[in-house]
Structures are given as C-alpha cells and as structure tokens.
Amino acid sequence: MTPLENELSALKKELISMWILVQSQLNKAKEAMVQFDKDLAREVLVKEKRVNSFELKIDRDCENIFALHCPVAVDLRFLLAALKINTNLERIGDIAAGIALYVVESAVNFDVKALESTSILRMYDEAVNILIDTRAAFEKEDTVLARSIFKRDDVLDAINMNAPEVIGELIKADMNNLPEALYMLSIIRKLERVGDQSKNIAEEIIFYVEAKILKHFESGKRRVAGEE
Amino acid sequence: MEHSVISASNFNAWFGDNHAVKDVSIKIEKNQVIAVMGPSGCGKTTFLRCINRMHELVPGARTEGTLKLYTDDIYTMNPIYVRYKIGMVFQRPNPFPNLSIYDNVVAGYKLNGLKIPKAEMDHIVEKSLTSAALWNEVKDSLHKKGTFLSGGQQQRLCIARAIAMEPEVILFDEPTSALDPISTSSIEALFHELKANYTLIIVTHNMQQAARVSDKTAFFYLGELVEFDNTRQMFTAPKDKRTQNYITGRFS
C-alpha cells in the first residue's frame, strides 16, 4: 500500500470507530429514555466529549492528508466525503446527547405505552438501524445499501409528520401529560434529524464510490437519479 | 466548422519494431493547455515529437495514420514549416550557448537565413521576451550570453525563442522538471498567459502540475490514449480505471 492508502485506511477505521461510538450513544440514550435511567443518560452526556474529540481528530487528519498527499479522483472524493460524514456523525452524537439531556431534565418518567402510541420506539429502532446500515454501506462501499436509506428515511419523516396529531391526542387525554408530551415531540423531531443526517451520509457514500452527486435532489428524483 | 488546431486520427508511431504510439485519435482545440501524462515508456513524448515531426529524425522511426494542423496533413507539409508553426521547448533549458540573449530569441530566423530589418528584429525580440515574461529582467543585458541567465530564465528564453516564430502550437516536454519550485511557478503562470495566443501541449510527470495548468488532460498507457477529458473531470472522477489507478498512485 502507498503511504496515502495507509492514511486513508487509518482514516476509514477512525470514522468507523466514531460511527460505533455514536451508534452506542443513540442506543444508550434510548435505553435511558425507556428505563428512565438518569445515570445512563449522564453517561451519554459525558461520552459526548469523546464524539467531539473524534470529530476534531478526523478533521485534523483530513487536513493533513490534503496538505501532504494532494489526493485526487477517488481519494479526493473519499476525503471530501469523510469530512462531511464526520460532521454528520458528530451531529447525530449531539442528538443522542440531546435526548439524554431530556431524560436528565425530565421530572417524570416516560410512559412506555405513550412511547409506543407515538411510535417513538419504532422510530428510534429504525433510526438506529438506518445508522447501522449506513456504516455497513460505508465499510463495504455498498451503494445499493446506501440508496436503500433514502426510502427508509421516508418512514421517519411520516412519523414526524404525524407527530403533532399524536402528541396532541396525548395532551388532550390528560393535561398532566403536557411536559412529557413536549419532550416526546422534541425526541421525534430529533430522530427525524437522525434520518436526515443518515441520508446525507448515504449521499456522501454514493458520491465517494460512484462520483454521483445526489445532494439537493427531491426525494423521488434522488432515487431515480441514484438508480441511473 | 473545424475548431481543432491539432487532430490525430488512428495515428501510430514505431521505433523499428517498437510500436510506441497505438491508434491514437484526438482533437486538440485552439487556445487550450493540454497536459499529456502517463508512466515512462507510455508513448507520450513520442506522440509529442510526432506532432512537429521530430520523431522521424530517429533512424528506423515511422508513422501511420493522420496528424493534422488545422486541415493540413502535417506529414505532407514541409517539416521546417511544421516546426515554425509548432514550436518545442525541452526538458532542460537549451539556449544556444554561444549566442546572446537577443540572438537566441531570433535564432529561428537567423539559422534559416531569413533576412529581417533590424527594427523589425528588435520588435520581435521585445515582443517575444515580453510574452515569455522575461523582458523586464533582461532588457538591459540583451547582448549577454543566454547561458548567463538562471535555469528558469533560460527556460523562458527558450519559450521566447519558440514564440518568436509565431507558432500556432507550442509543445513542452517536461518543461519544469529541471527547475526549482519558484522558476516552475513562474513558468506555470506563463502558461496561463500564453494560452491566449497559442495552444500549449505539455508532457509532464508532475500530476499536480497537469492539474494546475491544463484545461484538458490526456492519459497515455502502453502507447494507447486511454482517456482524454477536461482536467477537472480527470482529477476528480476519471472514467477509466487505469487513469484512476495512475493518478492515485496505485499503478502496478
């Protein structure tokens, strides 16, 4: 392997490590939410610093590779994608920390039935699965899997669109549910962002592997363009 | 309408049994900078030397196919005229060591016995040295030997010598590989200015240089023209796997 290939390989491993950490953060935030485990939620908040450190380290590594190796073609695309994926992962890390913070701040625990009726648990599982699959797509350079993310993000969007009505029902049923319901609405909004960030990552994977730009395509057109 | 200044069609070149350039077809547009790259022995310099018929000066060399300057077949033109119209600058600066800077610039005229009035000659020298971004540095020492100059200045003198003949095309064979980074940078800046009036074809091993200076890049491998495209495309998303492997250093 050339020195540049070694650098890129190390960078890829580092991104995957960050991915695993962010995934773990999301899972722990979910567990903390379901179990109303404030200690676990605090752990997520503490580990957020590690996610931030990863972001800074990866940014610096990319900068060094640009400066020292002048990458071109697929290497250049990989580096550009790595920079953006890095930012997207860090934001997903922020989302996990944000959910954990709600658990820490909330005076009452989240009702499991309410979590189910609002589809938060289903949405959460899908968001985590999407993140796992973007990682697999990145590791294997699998653009078919990356493209599947666009459709799956629609599931999260649908739950998010439906959220005001469902949350409204929860509040109407009992005004005492108001603080909990507002936290839930915020969590739904955050999980929808996980879908968006994952979709951005999928676009970057396709850009890196196939040199195709799918950014700013409308949802349907993106799928068509991506399948060309 | 024909925009191509140089066009090759199924062009082949041999050194004896060595088939150095294989079936190359390419159209090079006017006022563009074209980088030609590829591993050693890929035929890029041979192709360059075919364009102004220097290839045929090697014993046993022959060509087949068509190579045109605009609509004229280069291989049916007078080779001396071809070299007026298609100048060449080599890897190592090669001013005539026994000639002054002034005489180096107009060497093409003098060596071919072309009589030109002194005033016109002066004008050609000033114009050519100005175009080669050398005039301000040498205007007070025009009668010193060309070899008195630094390596970068000598190379610009050679460019001025090529420009003096008012060519359509200037060929460059690794023009900065013997120069330091500052001289390289000044020659590269010069390429951008020269392309307003000339078409430049540059063979280079320096891929970053190809990326920096050219509008289009041609990649040669084993005598074949593998890919010819806009430089931005070539260096971000080349179409051929061999091009990608070469520019990313994964060539085996």
Side-chain angles (χ1 to χ4, degrees), chain A residues 2 4-5 8 70-77 211, chain B residues 207-208 211 234-238 244 247-250:
Chain A
T2 63
L4 174 57
E5 282 178 287
L8 295 177
C70 301
V72 293
V74 66
D75 299 336
L76 174 64
R77 298 200 306 272
Chain B
M207 279 182 281
Q208 289 309 313
M234 290 280 276
F235 282 87
T236 54
Q244 172 146 300
I247 64 173
T248 58
R250 293 183 179 84

mmCIF file of all heavy atoms in Angstrom, chain A residues 2 4-5 8 70-77 211, chain B residues 207-208 211 234-238 244 247-250:
data_model
loop_
_atom_site.group_PDB
_atom_site.id
_atom_site.type_symbol
_atom_site.label_atom_id
_atom_site.label_comp_id
_atom_site.label_asym_id
_atom_site.label_seq_id
_atom_site.Cartn_x
_atom_site.Cartn_y
_atom_site.Cartn_z
ATOM 1 N N THR A 2 0.416 2.275 -0.702
ATOM 2 C CA THR A 2 1.162 3.530 -0.710
ATOM 3 C C THR A 2 0.931 4.258 0.624
ATOM 4 O O THR A 2 -0.039 3.959 1.342
ATOM 5 C CB THR A 2 0.665 4.440 -1.848
ATOM 6 O OG1 THR A 2 -0.716 4.761 -1.583
ATOM 7 C CG2 THR A 2 0.771 3.756 -3.205
ATOM 8 N N LEU A 4 -0.297 7.100 1.088
ATOM 9 C CA LEU A 4 -1.633 7.710 1.056
ATOM 10 C C LEU A 4 -2.708 6.658 1.355
ATOM 11 O O LEU A 4 -3.640 6.909 2.128
ATOM 12 C CB LEU A 4 -1.889 8.358 -0.308
ATOM 13 C CG LEU A 4 -3.302 8.920 -0.536
ATOM 14 C CD1 LEU A 4 -3.675 9.951 0.516
ATOM 15 C CD2 LEU A 4 -3.434 9.529 -1.924
ATOM 16 N N GLU A 5 -2.546 5.475 0.770
ATOM 17 C CA GLU A 5 -3.525 4.404 1.038
ATOM 18 C C GLU A 5 -3.551 4.051 2.525
ATOM 19 O O GLU A 5 -4.614 3.816 3.102
ATOM 20 C CB GLU A 5 -3.191 3.158 0.212
ATOM 21 C CG GLU A 5 -3.614 3.280 -1.239
ATOM 22 C CD GLU A 5 -3.215 2.047 -2.037
ATOM 23 O OE1 GLU A 5 -2.002 1.892 -2.308
ATOM 24 O OE2 GLU A 5 -4.089 1.240 -2.373
ATOM 25 N N LEU A 8 -5.446 6.773 4.315
ATOM 26 C CA LEU A 8 -6.889 6.704 4.061
ATOM 27 C C LEU A 8 -7.515 5.513 4.786
ATOM 28 O O LEU A 8 -8.633 5.600 5.300
ATOM 29 C CB LEU A 8 -7.164 6.619 2.551
ATOM 30 C CG LEU A 8 -6.761 7.855 1.734
ATOM 31 C CD1 LEU A 8 -7.002 7.620 0.244
ATOM 32 C CD2 LEU A 8 -7.507 9.093 2.191
ATOM 33 N N CYS A 70 -1.963 15.634 -1.433
ATOM 34 C CA CYS A 70 -2.665 16.158 -2.624
ATOM 35 C C CYS A 70 -3.500 15.063 -3.299
ATOM 36 O O CYS A 70 -3.239 14.701 -4.453
ATOM 37 C CB CYS A 70 -1.674 16.736 -3.618
ATOM 38 S SG CYS A 70 -0.685 18.048 -2.935
ATOM 39 N N PRO A 71 -4.479 14.514 -2.616
ATOM 40 C CA PRO A 71 -5.239 13.400 -3.211
ATOM 41 C C PRO A 71 -6.063 13.840 -4.419
ATOM 42 O O PRO A 71 -6.477 15.003 -4.493
ATOM 43 C CB PRO A 71 -6.169 12.968 -2.069
ATOM 44 C CG PRO A 71 -6.317 14.194 -1.240
ATOM 45 C CD PRO A 71 -5.017 14.934 -1.322
ATOM 46 N N VAL A 72 -6.300 12.906 -5.325
ATOM 47 C CA VAL A 72 -7.146 13.171 -6.490
ATOM 48 C C VAL A 72 -8.130 12.014 -6.680
ATOM 49 O O VAL A 72 -8.018 10.989 -6.012
ATOM 50 C CB VAL A 72 -6.303 13.338 -7.791
ATOM 51 C CG1 VAL A 72 -5.456 14.589 -7.739
ATOM 52 C CG2 VAL A 72 -5.439 12.123 -8.048
ATOM 53 N N ALA A 73 -9.064 12.223 -7.590
ATOM 54 C CA ALA A 73 -10.024 11.197 -8.004
ATOM 55 C C ALA A 73 -10.701 10.541 -6.792
ATOM 56 O O ALA A 73 -11.173 11.253 -5.903
ATOM 57 C CB ALA A 73 -9.342 10.174 -8.899
ATOM 58 N N VAL A 74 -10.705 9.210 -6.737
ATOM 59 C CA VAL A 74 -11.465 8.520 -5.685
ATOM 60 C C VAL A 74 -10.930 8.882 -4.300
ATOM 61 O O VAL A 74 -11.694 8.987 -3.333
ATOM 62 C CB VAL A 74 -11.465 6.984 -5.921
ATOM 63 C CG1 VAL A 74 -10.082 6.387 -5.772
ATOM 64 C CG2 VAL A 74 -12.438 6.290 -4.987
ATOM 65 N N ASP A 75 -9.631 9.131 -4.186
ATOM 66 C CA ASP A 75 -9.057 9.502 -2.889
ATOM 67 C C ASP A 75 -9.570 10.875 -2.446
ATOM 68 O O ASP A 75 -9.880 11.084 -1.269
ATOM 69 C CB ASP A 75 -7.529 9.532 -2.970
ATOM 70 C CG ASP A 75 -6.953 8.173 -3.329
ATOM 71 O OD1 ASP A 75 -7.641 7.160 -3.075
ATOM 72 O OD2 ASP A 75 -5.838 8.117 -3.855
ATOM 73 N N LEU A 76 -9.642 11.771 -3.408
ATOM 74 C CA LEU A 76 -10.147 13.120 -3.108
ATOM 75 C C LEU A 76 -11.617 13.028 -2.696
ATOM 76 O O LEU A 76 -12.034 13.635 -1.700
ATOM 77 C CB LEU A 76 -9.990 14.000 -4.351
ATOM 78 C CG LEU A 76 -10.594 15.399 -4.270
ATOM 79 C CD1 LEU A 76 -9.907 16.245 -3.211
ATOM 80 C CD2 LEU A 76 -10.488 16.100 -5.623
ATOM 81 N N ARG A 77 -12.372 12.247 -3.444
ATOM 82 C CA ARG A 77 -13.800 12.114 -3.121
ATOM 83 C C ARG A 77 -13.978 11.471 -1.756
ATOM 84 O O ARG A 77 -14.850 11.862 -0.977
ATOM 85 C CB ARG A 77 -14.524 11.295 -4.208
ATOM 86 C CG ARG A 77 -14.493 11.924 -5.593
ATOM 87 C CD ARG A 77 -15.596 11.362 -6.492
ATOM 88 N NE ARG A 77 -15.564 9.925 -6.582
ATOM 89 C CZ ARG A 77 -14.842 9.236 -7.466
ATOM 90 N NH1 ARG A 77 -14.084 9.874 -8.346
ATOM 91 N NH2 ARG A 77 -14.881 7.920 -7.485
ATOM 92 N N ALA A 211 -18.946 8.748 -7.755
ATOM 93 C CA ALA A 211 -18.762 10.121 -8.282
ATOM 94 C C ALA A 211 -20.090 10.701 -8.754
ATOM 95 O O ALA A 211 -20.129 11.496 -9.686
ATOM 96 C CB ALA A 211 -17.732 10.153 -9.400
ATOM 97 N N MET B 207 1.875 15.323 -11.794
ATOM 98 C CA MET B 207 0.422 15.308 -11.964
ATOM 99 C C MET B 207 -0.242 16.550 -11.393
ATOM 100 O O MET B 207 -1.240 17.028 -11.920
ATOM 101 C CB MET B 207 -0.156 14.053 -11.332
ATOM 102 C CG MET B 207 -0.006 12.884 -12.274
ATOM 103 S SD MET B 207 -0.712 11.427 -11.631
ATOM 104 C CE MET B 207 0.546 10.932 -10.525
ATOM 105 N N GLN B 208 0.340 17.071 -10.314
ATOM 106 C CA GLN B 208 -0.239 18.288 -9.748
ATOM 107 C C GLN B 208 -0.071 19.446 -10.715
ATOM 108 O O GLN B 208 -0.924 20.320 -10.801
ATOM 109 C CB GLN B 208 0.396 18.603 -8.385
ATOM 110 C CG GLN B 208 -0.029 17.641 -7.295
ATOM 111 C CD GLN B 208 -1.544 17.493 -7.230
ATOM 112 O OE1 GLN B 208 -2.284 18.460 -7.249
ATOM 113 N NE2 GLN B 208 -2.028 16.259 -7.176
ATOM 114 N N ALA B 211 -2.705 19.116 -13.249
ATOM 115 C CA ALA B 211 -3.982 19.561 -12.684
ATOM 116 C C ALA B 211 -4.047 21.087 -12.603
ATOM 117 O O ALA B 211 -5.085 21.681 -12.857
ATOM 118 C CB ALA B 211 -4.171 18.942 -11.300
ATOM 119 N N MET B 234 -10.925 14.632 -15.053
ATOM 120 C CA MET B 234 -9.881 13.599 -14.942
ATOM 121 C C MET B 234 -9.368 13.462 -13.510
ATOM 122 O O MET B 234 -9.039 12.373 -13.061
ATOM 123 C CB MET B 234 -8.696 13.939 -15.856
ATOM 124 C CG MET B 234 -8.981 13.807 -17.322
ATOM 125 S SD MET B 234 -8.897 12.119 -17.937
ATOM 126 C CE MET B 234 -7.162 11.947 -18.245
ATOM 127 N N PHE B 235 -9.282 14.591 -12.809
ATOM 128 C CA PHE B 235 -8.697 14.550 -11.472
ATOM 129 C C PHE B 235 -9.734 14.414 -10.357
ATOM 130 O O PHE B 235 -9.366 14.328 -9.187
ATOM 131 C CB PHE B 235 -7.799 15.779 -11.230
ATOM 132 C CG PHE B 235 -6.447 15.633 -11.893
ATOM 133 C CD1 PHE B 235 -6.265 16.026 -13.206
ATOM 134 C CD2 PHE B 235 -5.388 15.053 -11.221
ATOM 135 C CE1 PHE B 235 -5.042 15.862 -13.840
ATOM 136 C CE2 PHE B 235 -4.159 14.889 -11.843
ATOM 137 C CZ PHE B 235 -3.983 15.290 -13.159
ATOM 138 N N THR B 236 -10.999 14.427 -10.710
ATOM 139 C CA THR B 236 -11.999 14.180 -9.670
ATOM 140 C C THR B 236 -12.727 12.858 -9.905
ATOM 141 O O THR B 236 -12.919 12.095 -8.970
ATOM 142 C CB THR B 236 -13.038 15.326 -9.606
ATOM 143 O OG1 THR B 236 -13.599 15.508 -10.905
ATOM 144 C CG2 THR B 236 -12.417 16.619 -9.128
ATOM 145 N N ALA B 237 -13.087 12.605 -11.135
ATOM 146 C CA ALA B 237 -13.802 11.351 -11.421
ATOM 147 C C ALA B 237 -13.418 10.837 -12.801
ATOM 148 O O ALA B 237 -14.204 10.919 -13.750
ATOM 149 C CB ALA B 237 -15.306 11.591 -11.333
ATOM 150 N N PRO B 238 -12.200 10.302 -12.931
ATOM 151 C CA PRO B 238 -11.801 9.774 -14.244
ATOM 152 C C PRO B 238 -12.699 8.597 -14.625
ATOM 153 O O PRO B 238 -13.193 7.884 -13.758
ATOM 154 C CB PRO B 238 -10.355 9.321 -14.015
ATOM 155 C CG PRO B 238 -10.230 9.128 -12.554
ATOM 156 C CD PRO B 238 -11.175 10.083 -11.907
ATOM 157 N N GLN B 244 -7.520 6.264 -13.166
ATOM 158 C CA GLN B 244 -7.665 6.443 -11.708
ATOM 159 C C GLN B 244 -6.484 5.815 -10.963
ATOM 160 O O GLN B 244 -5.915 6.420 -10.052
ATOM 161 C CB GLN B 244 -8.972 5.827 -11.229
ATOM 162 C CG GLN B 244 -9.076 5.817 -9.710
ATOM 163 C CD GLN B 244 -10.491 6.007 -9.227
ATOM 164 O OE1 GLN B 244 -11.142 7.014 -9.506
ATOM 165 N NE2 GLN B 244 -10.989 5.044 -8.514
ATOM 166 N N ILE B 247 -3.325 8.118 -11.491
ATOM 167 C CA ILE B 247 -3.265 9.417 -10.797
ATOM 168 C C ILE B 247 -3.341 9.280 -9.275
ATOM 169 O O ILE B 247 -2.929 10.174 -8.569
ATOM 170 C CB ILE B 247 -4.334 10.420 -11.314
ATOM 171 C CG1 ILE B 247 -5.741 9.924 -11.033
ATOM 172 C CG2 ILE B 247 -4.134 10.748 -12.770
ATOM 173 C CD1 ILE B 247 -6.816 10.953 -11.374
ATOM 174 N N THR B 248 -3.854 8.142 -8.816
ATOM 175 C CA THR B 248 -3.876 7.952 -7.356
ATOM 176 C C THR B 248 -2.665 7.151 -6.875
ATOM 177 O O THR B 248 -2.582 6.796 -5.708
ATOM 178 C CB THR B 248 -5.169 7.221 -6.905
ATOM 179 O OG1 THR B 248 -5.248 5.966 -7.586
ATOM 180 C CG2 THR B 248 -6.415 8.041 -7.185
ATOM 181 N N GLY B 249 -1.757 6.866 -7.785
ATOM 182 C CA GLY B 249 -0.505 6.205 -7.383
ATOM 183 C C GLY B 249 -0.668 4.715 -7.117
ATOM 184 O O GLY B 249 0.143 4.111 -6.417
ATOM 185 N N ARG B 250 -1.740 4.110 -7.653
ATOM 186 C CA ARG B 250 -1.956 2.677 -7.415
ATOM 187 C C ARG B 250 -1.583 1.858 -8.636
ATOM 188 O O ARG B 250 -2.079 0.772 -8.836
ATOM 189 C CB ARG B 250 -3.414 2.412 -7.057
ATOM 190 C CG ARG B 250 -3.813 2.995 -5.723
ATOM 191 C CD ARG B 250 -5.250 2.633 -5.377
ATOM 192 N NE ARG B 250 -5.637 3.163 -4.089
ATOM 193 C CZ ARG B 250 -6.078 4.379 -3.883
ATOM 194 N NH1 ARG B 250 -6.204 5.211 -4.887
ATOM 195 N NH2 ARG B 250 -6.411 4.782 -2.673
#
